[in-house]
Amino acid sequence: MKKYCYVKNGKIVAAEQDLPVNFENISNFYLLGDADLKRYGWLPYEKLSEDKDVFVSSSYEILEDKVIERFVTRDKTKQELQAEVEEKTAMQWDSIRSKRNILLQESDVFVVSDRWEQMSSETKKAWSEYRKALRDLPQNVTNSFDVIWPIQPK
């Protein structure tokens, strides 16, 4: 949908918005053509941007038939890109630790003493290995996106 700016005395009073339904006692104002809208100070809005990752600044230019907002943008620096990678990696590790903690907590019921005593030695070994693999998970994985989760014993 086309956006407009309301310009009064050479200044933008309302920037980038839909036309009002009613304006200065005119019903269905939004149905007027651009020539009529211009007489009331409403000019079409146009955005010009390089569409790079980082916003730097913006400025408006009021022309005879439209208002242009120019956005100055720039590419991310190597440091910003590296910081993003580090943040994503840290969030991934946090997610892995959370899931690991939940799986350990869920497996606690299998190692309580009364249940543990009734298990066969091979079942005990399977549960011990499973829980050890969970506890060792963060230390034994180099890439947080390549985690292979241990399979819970039956």
Side-chain angles (χ1 to χ4, degrees):
M1 178 173 252
K2 197 171 185 179
K3 299 288 185 180
Y4 290 82
C5 292
Y6 177 51
V7 179
K8 189 172 185 179
N9 298 325
K11 297 193 186 227
I12 297 172
V13 178
E16 188 193 352
Q17 66 180 48
D18 295 330
L19 288 170
V21 174
N22 302 310
F23 181 74
E24 293 183 356
N25 294 325
I26 300 172
S27 298
N28 297 321
F29 184 75
Y30 66 98
L31 297 175
L32 296 177
D34 282 349
D36 290 327
L37 292 169
K38 181 179 172 184
R39 285 199 312 262
Y40 290 102
W42 288 89
L43 297 174
Y45 166 84
E46 185 178 321
K47 173 184 174 180
L48 295 178
S49 176
E50 298 168 340
D51 287 328
K52 294 187 178 175
D53 296 329
V54 180
F55 170 80
V56 176
S57 65
S58 70
S59 62
Y60 288 95
E61 183 179 357
I62 303 170
L63 303 175
E64 188 176 315
D65 61 339
K66 63 184 168 184
V67 173
I68 297 175
E69 185 175 14
R70 296 182 194 280
F71 286 84
V72 177
T73 57
R74 65 174 174 77
D75 289 323
K76 291 181 182 177
T77 64
K78 288 181 182 178
Q79 293 84 359
E80 289 170 326
L81 292 170
Q82 181 62 33
E84 280 184 5
V85 168
E86 289 171 5
E87 182 180 347
K88 285 179 184 175
T89 301
M91 287 176 22
Q92 183 68 12
W93 282 119
D94 288 344
S95 175
I96 289 167
R97 285 185 194 92
S98 294
K99 181 176 178 178
R100 183 234 17 225
N101 292 343
I102 290 168
L103 292 172
L104 277 169
Q105 190 175 25
E106 288 174 351
S107 70
D108 283 346
V109 298
F110 295 97
V111 294
V112 290
S113 61
D114 60 333
R115 205 163 184 186
W116 187 257
E117 291 170 3
Q118 296 178 12
M119 288 184 193
S120 68
S121 60
E122 61 188 35
T123 304
K124 286 180 184 179
K125 182 180 179 192
W127 277 106
S128 294
E129 289 173 356
Y130 170 73
R131 289 173 56 84
K132 180 173 180 1
L134 286 174
R135 286 190 302 274
D136 292 348
L137 226 172
Q139 298 88 341
N140 292 342
V141 178
T142 55
N143 184 342
S144 62
F145 294 95
D146 289 336
V147 174
I148 298 173
W149 293 93
I151 297 170
Q152 186 181 57
K154 300 271 181 211

